[in-house]
Structure formats: structure tokens, C-alpha cells
Amino acid sequence: MRAIRGLAMTFVIALSATGTAAAAADIEGVWEFSGGKVAVQPTGDAATFKGTVLTSTRLAECPHPAGEIIWLGVTPQPDGQYWGGHQFFRVGTCEPAGRGKTAFRVLRKADGKAFLRICFAPPERPELQATIAPDGTSANAPAGCRDSDLVAPADTKPPTFSTTVSLPKQGKKKCLSRRSFKIRLREPRNDALASANVYVNGKRVRTVKGPQRIKAGVNLKGLPKGRYTVKIVARTVLGRTIKGTRKYRTCAPKKKSTRKIKV
């Protein structure tokens, strides 16, 4: 039997776009766990959830990179717990080792605050389904359990262009004399940027990737004086699209002085 590892993460569990507060499951919310973030969303059939890593997490040697589907088939059970598959890795190589049958349950502390308990059965023991009773006791979880405090409820408000993208402003009667500038992309709340495409007058001029704060340069040098439309299309790890445009008018380049110097 080969040793298997991989249990660390922080959880962001997002409401579906059409969900309501009354229909929200107790597992929906932002959960802190080992400094990472995982977003759990309803799948296409709306009967199960999947978990997507927003911020890379690591337990011992094996990281869960941003964008990884770390949980699949997270399904509510009649007694209030959830069952799903957690991604494990092989020790030494960090190669995917399959999914273990994992249990999830939201419990309450003495002060009434909610926390999420997750208990794991490794994929090398497919006959075991981890379970968590209403009192928090677990069974069939040889890979152990982890508790996660609730940090914030799920953010159902989609990110906007103005809160995600920072572009230089230009007055109506002014032109842009500096023809190269930086676009700053901010991480959306409870999500992460996966990629962004930059277009100038409909032509893609730059593509940046990576689920972290990204900077993309826009260079209008060499273009004639005129009006230009800069368009940004960004996509998040959770599949959201954020797009917007801004128009600029470039100035004519200054002519170099040809005045002769008397000697």
C-alpha cells in the first residue's frame, strides 16, 4: 500500500446565481482552513456541489494548485451531513492518487458559531465511507478530520469591472501623451482571477494568466494620433466573466527640435 497525502485548504462555498437565502444549504459560506481557499458551487444538476481551489494550499509536500477541482459529488445526506470525493496525492511524487470518500458536516460551538468538520477516508480504502454524526463523532475516517471556522457568508454579488480593473483615466478634452501604461487587476472577493485578455480596437494585444494579482501592460506607442478603445475581458476561477472598455485619445508625438546650435 502506498502512502497518500493531501488534506489542506481554506473553503469558500458560493451560492448559485439563482439561489435564495431560504434555499441556502448550511455548508454555503467562507471557511478558513490552513490558509487556503476552496470554492464550492452547485454543479449543473444543482443537486451536488464541486469544490474549486481559489488559493493554492499545501499539506506537507503536496500542493493543491489554484483552479484544481478538489472536491466532486458533494451530496447532502438525510441526516444533515454531506458526502463527496476529496483529491489525494501520492507521497514523494505528488501524483494524483484518486478521491477518498469524504464526509462534511456543519456543527456549532458553545457560543453558537458555526464550523465545518471534514473527515477523510483515503482512496486506498474504497470500502470505507467516512461519516460524521450529528454530535460530531466520526467513523470510517482513518485519514483524520479537520475543522474549519466560518469566516464570512458566501458572496452572491458578482464582481464588477470597476472593482476588479484599474485603468488610467482621461479627461474629455485631454489626450493621452504617455502611450504605455499598466492595467491593474484586483482579486474579486471570494474568487480568484484565472486569466485576462487585453484588446486595442478589437485586436488582442496581451494575455495574462494566473490566479493572483496581475498587472498587464498596454502599449499604444507607434500608433497614429487618434481614438482607441481598450477592452479587458477577465475570467475567474469560478467561471465568471468580467469585461469592460475605456476609450483613449492619443496626442501627436512632439517633434524633435531641429534648431542649429551656433558655435
Side-chain angles (χ1 to χ4, degrees):
M1 183 185 301
R2 301 183 68 177
I4 296 178
R5 187 179 298 274
L7 302 177
M9 59 231 77
T10 291
F11 311 103
V12 178
I13 302 184
L15 286 167
S16 67
T18 58
T20 63
D26 59 358
I27 199 172
E28 297 176 1
V30 180
W31 308 90
E32 191 281 327
F33 196 96
S34 297
K37 290 183 179 180
V38 173
V40 176
Q41 298 172 292
T43 57
D45 60 12
T48 61
F49 298 88
K50 67 177 181 179
T52 306
V53 179
L54 299 184
T55 305
S56 179
T57 65
R58 179 191 296 269
L59 182 64
E61 63 188 70
C62 298
H64 293 278
E68 176 192 312
I69 305 299
I70 195 171
W71 295 334
L72 277 177
V74 179
T75 306
Q77 302 302 306
D79 67 348
Q81 65 179 316
Y82 298 80
W83 290 353
H86 170 80
Q87 180 65 62
F88 282 76
F89 296 101
R90 300 189 184 281
V91 173
T93 65
C94 288
E95 295 177 350
R99 295 185 182 274
K101 295 178 179 179
T102 303
F104 310 80
R105 185 183 283 274
V106 177
L107 300 168
R108 296 281 174 179
K109 298 181 180 180
D111 60 3
K113 292 182 179 180
F115 68 96
L116 181 64
R117 178 160 293 170
I118 311 100
C119 297
F120 308 88
E124 63 200 36
R125 299 288 305 277
E127 75 279 8
L128 295 181
Q129 168 61 66
T131 62
I132 306 173
D135 64 359
T137 57
S138 64
N140 298 328
C145 299
R146 295 289 187 273
D147 289 346
S148 173
D149 288 334
L150 180 65
V151 176
D155 186 6
T156 58
K157 185 178 180 180
T160 64
F161 184 77
S162 60
T163 59
T164 305
V165 181
S166 178
L167 283 164
K169 295 181 179 180
Q170 179 179 344
K172 293 182 178 180
K173 296 182 179 181
K174 296 180 180 179
C175 58
L176 192 70
S177 58
R178 187 180 61 173
R179 296 196 181 191
S180 63
F181 52 86
K182 290 289 185 182
I183 298 171
R184 288 175 171 81
L185 305 176
R186 307 182 188 90
E187 294 284 21
R189 182 182 177 185
N190 297 340
D191 203 341
L193 291 171
S195 66
N197 288 309
V198 182
Y199 301 84
V200 176
N201 282 359
K203 181 181 179 181
R204 187 171 62 184
V205 297
R206 187 76 183 274
T207 297
V208 289
K209 296 182 178 181
Q212 68 274 335
R213 188 167 301 193
I214 312 172
K215 293 182 180 179
V218 174
N219 190 348
L220 302 180
K221 291 180 179 179
L223 297 176
K225 177 183 177 181
R227 296 182 181 275
Y228 295 91
T229 299
V230 175
K231 179 181 178 180
I232 313 295
V233 180
R235 289 181 173 82
T236 74
V237 167
L238 297 184
R240 292 165 167 169
T241 299
I242 307 165
K243 58 185 177 180
T245 60
R246 184 161 292 173
K247 296 182 183 297
Y248 295 97
R249 183 163 58 90
T250 58
C251 304
K254 293 182 179 179
K255 296 181 180 180
K256 295 183 179 180
S257 175
T258 56
R259 185 178 57 185
K260 295 181 179 181
I261 302 176
K262 295 181 180 181
V263 294

